[in-house]
Amino acid sequence: MGAVNNELHEAAAGGTELDAIVIGAGFGGLYMLHKLRDEQGLKVRGFDKASDVGGTWYWNRYPGALSDSESFVYCYSFNKDLLQDWNFTTRYLTQPQILAYLEHVADRLDLRRDITFNTGVVSAHFDETRNLWIVRTDKGEQLTARFLVTALGLLSVTNIPEIKGRETFKGEQYHSGNWPKSISYDGKRVAVIGTGSTGTQIITAIAPLVKHLTVFQRSPQYTVPVGNGPVTPEYVAEKKRNYDAIWKHVRRSMVAMGFEESTVPTMSVSEEERQAIFQKAWDFGGGFRYAFETFNDIITDEAANHAAAEFIRGKIAEIVKDPETARKLTPHDYYAKRPLCDSGYYATFNRDNVTLVDVKATPIAEITPKGIRTADGVEHEVDMIIFATGFDAVDGNYKKIDIRGRGGRSIAEHWRDGASSHVAIGVAGFPNMFMIMGPNGPFANLPPAIEAQVEFVADTIAHVEANGLATIEPTQQAEDAWTEVCRDVADKTLLPRAESWIFGANIPGKVHRVLFYLGGLGAYLQELEAVKAAGYRGFVFRGEKPAVAAE
Ligand code: FAD
Ligand code: NA7
């Protein structure tokens, strides 16, 4: 209590009083700032550690970085003029294209003037006597605000595995999620550790640029061609004409990717027809299309999953010339991680300058000054090590901020048994704190999911303001119930049978529990609507708006 009192005195002495603080300037934070500032007239300030807007697309500048949501749905829908004016030219968007888009949005809505860049929020403490959040930054600034929105990013905290000797390496080291603006690969021997979505993109993109590439693979991957390429002006015009129908469809769908999801069970068609459907999806491209446009049960039915996996295994055998390399590249587990797609991943291993090391057979023993030594004693000498080893997903950034709610209880303590939320937005005991893509949000194409959450939060804040209330927060019961819903939905799929970041399984020591609502965007949006329609079911309101209102 003493600490809070001190903070209060400091806040009164020098802190800035705001209506809302928005942490993060990616898709979520930018829209949130616009909504609260421009539509609701609140006094809002945004923060980001980055030097500019973009979030994911600011940090992940690695070669080959590409969305695997198609261009026409990987954007905001809230502003019709913006939708009509934005011209995409390819079926998918590269990192520079998405970053340029978000920069354009920030310019157009004049958002940067209210964002403090190069500044991390280090703590956020709720002061129960004044019903305010006291927020501190790594620049020593302290501010107060009634509402706190955490748009911290779900794939944002880099995971660099503890490997003995890493600090002794004399060459360059990079993690995909904190990539410098320019790197030269010319004449270099490069190691890539990790073969997830990111690793497969990097490997395929840099193989032709480097002298030699050594890939350290822990798990072989199922991946299908992405099918990227230019789109015609007619294609773009057609999407723009139909956007109302497109978004309506997206918001009712499961993965929100803008295609018709199949209603056909895999085993309901003949073997010949099944192969033809998989082949068509392979030829057209797209990981989510392969998993959800072909049949309706690939992630729920064992036989269906096996058929989809077997088709990909057949492709690896066809594509990869060296049988031993093909064997190492071939997965035999469930096809039950995030569906991957690539621009020629398997064929990359036919190149003379690419070597595959199976680190399950020969684990990485240590990093040496010259490279990576595996357990068989071989020292793979390299000039650069690239960690494509993923993220401490979803709650990673929450653990980096000292967030304290009622009674000074920290969010780390609250999430001791695993991250949780009520409908991915609120946490019990953390009043007036709203998350964008918090734990147990929808697993789907994210811009429409993020938009829906931002709009829910904005409406909720408007409701609190309009009714002269002090706080809103979920009940513990509602939070527990949503956690259970998410677990039950996940258990109906095959996804828990694969070790992936969707369950926190990639981080040693992290609680193994689903971090998403796997029931689809459509069902999630219905739930949000139902919560609101029932007078914010599962949330409680308290007290009266603080007497000292923000100016
Ligand atoms: P982010 O874009 O991650 O932004 C969060 C921001 O918060 C960051 O800039 C970070 O610096 C800032 N921040 C965090 N903590 C603090 C702090 N304490 N203080 C100050 N600032 C802080 N999604 C799809 O739907 N389709 C795709 O194809 C797709 N491809 C992806 C590819 C890659 C390589 C990655 C990493 C992710 C991809 N995603 C994709 C997910 C992507 O993260 C989301 O689509 C979206 O960009 C998330 O936006 P956001 O605003 O929620 O978070
Ligand atoms: P992922 O999907 O978590 O992939 C990380 C990869 O790194 C994966 O192949 C891991 O192997 C591998 N890894 C992790 N730790 C190690 C160690 N210690 N040694 C060897 N290999 C390791 O992250 P991505 O960045 O590819 O993708 C995450 C999401 O971000 C993705 O869906 C996109 O949306 C963007 P494993 O499979 O665990 O055996």
Side-chain angles (χ1 to χ4, degrees):
M1 207 53 213
V4 169
N5 276 337
N6 287 342
E7 281 175 338
L8 277 178
H9 289 305
E10 285 171 37
T16 314
E17 195 113 27
L18 295 157
D19 293 314
I21 288 173
V22 177
I23 316 173
F27 265 99
L30 291 178
Y31 184 32
M32 194 77 245
L33 172 59
H34 167 63
K35 203 72 194 157
L36 295 179
R37 186 193 70 180
D38 302 330
E39 291 184 16
Q40 292 181 204
L42 299 187
K43 193 172 167 194
V44 191
R45 184 117 155 245
F47 288 93
D48 204 302
K49 291 179 199 169
S51 67
D52 206 340
V53 299
T56 289
W57 306 101
Y58 171 95
W59 296 106
N60 289 265
R61 294 165 193 259
Y62 61 80
L66 184 80
S67 71
D68 54 7
S69 301
E70 293 177 39
S71 308
F72 73 103
V73 289
Y74 199 67
C75 56
Y76 291 117
S77 69
F78 69 85
N79 182 321
K80 287 200 175 171
D81 293 339
L82 182 64
L83 259 184
Q84 293 302 321
D85 296 348
W86 181 250
N87 284 315
F88 53 94
T89 52
T90 45
R91 197 174 140 204
Y92 300 88
L93 299 167
T94 61
Q95 174 271 330
Q97 289 170 321
I98 305 168
L99 186 57
Y101 169 77
L102 290 170
E103 287 172 350
H104 168 78
V105 172
D107 284 343
R108 197 162 161 146
L109 302 176
D110 194 15
L111 298 174
R112 284 190 182 88
R113 71 182 154 90
D114 285 309
I115 305 174
T116 308
F117 293 108
N118 295 308
T119 304
V121 168
V122 291
S123 72
H125 294 181
F126 187 71
D127 161 25
E128 289 183 73
T129 54
R130 292 203 302 165
N131 289 323
L132 291 175
W133 281 97
I134 302 169
V135 170
R136 283 214 180 89
T137 73
D138 58 5
K139 297 287 186 300
E141 197 180 359
Q142 180 171 286
L143 306 97
T144 59
R146 290 194 59 212
F147 303 102
L148 177 67
V149 183
T150 51
L152 307 179
L154 71 162
L155 292 159
S156 175
V157 174
T158 56
N159 166 44
I160 301 185
E162 301 261 332
I163 301 175
K164 189 178 139 205
R166 193 167 77 81
E167 67 296 343
T168 67
F169 182 59
K170 294 266 190 286
E172 301 159 69
Q173 300 186 43
Y174 305 105
H175 186 283
S176 60
N178 189 7
W179 202 262
K181 287 200 173 142
S182 108
I183 292 183
S184 157
Y185 307 95
D186 224 19
K188 291 185 184 161
R189 298 159 305 167
V190 177
V192 174
I193 304 178
T195 54
S197 171
T198 302
T200 53
Q201 289 184 338
I202 295 177
I203 290 160
T204 312
I206 67 170
L209 310 178
V210 303
K211 185 173 171 204
H212 193 88
L213 177 64
T214 309
V215 175
F216 293 82
Q217 169 197 279
R218 190 163 71 181
S219 303
Q221 297 286 357
Y222 295 103
T223 164
V224 304
V226 65
N228 196 17
V231 288
T232 62
E234 293 74 38
Y235 171 95
V236 178
E238 188 259 333
K239 297 294 181 210
K240 287 188 180 182
R241 249 193 333 272
N242 291 322
Y243 256 130
D244 285 348
I246 289 170
W247 292 121
K248 198 168 164 191
H249 175 260
V250 158
R251 292 193 189 103
R252 287 181 182 166
S253 70
M254 174 102 181
V255 293
M257 292 279 176
F259 57 77
E260 204 59 55
E261 290 154 6
S262 176
T263 53
V264 179
T266 312
M267 292 302 150
S268 69
V269 303
S270 70
E271 173 67 18
E272 201 183 3
E273 200 179 329
R274 195 156 47 242
Q275 294 305 313
I277 289 171
F278 284 138
Q279 184 63 47
K280 193 169 158 219
W282 179 276
D283 293 339
F284 188 71
F288 279 86
R289 282 186 188 264
Y290 184 79
F292 295 94
E293 195 182 29
T294 49
F295 297 104
N296 71 350
D297 53 357
I298 288 176
I299 64 153
T300 50
D301 180 80
E302 296 222 12
N305 193 272
H306 179 77
E310 192 61 19
F311 183 88
I312 300 177
R313 283 193 281 268
K315 288 294 179 192
I316 300 172
E318 270 172 33
I319 295 167
V320 182
K321 293 195 180 118
D322 172 45
E324 179 54 12
T325 306
R327 187 189 64 74
K328 288 187 201 163
L329 281 170
T330 304
H332 291 282
D333 52 352
Y334 287 98
Y335 175 50
K337 294 182 182 172
R338 184 190 203 279
L340 302 192
C341 48
D342 67 86
S343 303
Y345 177 65
Y346 296 129
T348 298
F349 292 89
N350 291 333
R351 297 179 62 94
D352 291 338
N353 70 334
V354 178
T355 310
L356 179 63
V357 177
D358 173 357
V359 303
K360 269 204 180 125
T362 50
I364 296 173
E366 62 174 334
I367 293 179
T368 67
K370 287 189 193 161
I372 298 176
R373 191 191 309 281
T374 40
D376 53 3
V378 176
E379 186 175 27
H380 303 267
E381 290 191 17
V382 292
D383 306 299
M384 184 191 297
I385 300 176
I386 296 174
F387 290 91
T389 42
F391 302 89
D392 184 354
V394 182
D395 57 329
N397 265 325
Y398 288 83
K399 293 185 280 196
K400 299 205 155 224
I401 307 177
D402 178 20
I403 301 178
R404 289 174 189 272
R406 289 197 189 279
R409 183 173 158 87
S410 75
I411 203 153
E413 171 64 12
H414 184 75
W415 285 348
R416 190 176 70 241
D417 299 326
S420 58
S421 72
H422 180 37
V423 290
I425 305 268
V427 183
F430 294 79
N432 293 355
M433 184 184 98
F434 304 98
M435 301 180 291
I436 305 302
M437 284 313 293
N440 291 338
F443 192 78
N445 172 45
L446 291 181
I450 287 171
E451 275 188 324
Q453 293 184 336
V454 166
E455 286 159 14
F456 181 94
V457 171
D459 286 353
T460 308
I461 289 176
H463 179 88
V464 170
E465 293 283 84
N467 290 286
L469 300 162
T471 61
I472 177 172
E473 69 211 88
T475 63
Q476 187 59 50
Q477 202 184 12
E479 190 174 328
D480 293 344
W482 183 244
T483 304
E484 206 171 312
V485 166
C486 293
R487 196 195 53 223
D488 289 350
V489 172
D491 285 346
K492 290 195 175 78
T493 74
L494 299 168
L495 269 57
R497 305 207 197 164
E499 295 284 294
S500 80
W501 55 267
I502 297 171
F503 295 85
N506 62 327
I507 303 296
K510 187 163 176 173
V511 175
H512 194 291
R513 161 152 133 183
V514 71
L515 291 165
F516 289 89
Y517 171 67
L518 300 176
L521 182 68
Y524 174 75
L525 297 187
Q526 276 181 16
E527 183 64 20
L528 278 190
E529 276 305 310
V531 164
K532 206 163 94 182
Y536 292 94
R537 190 187 66 216
F539 287 92
V540 284
F541 296 94
R542 290 193 194 165
E544 283 173 22
K545 188 174 176 171
V548 190
E551 286 176 8

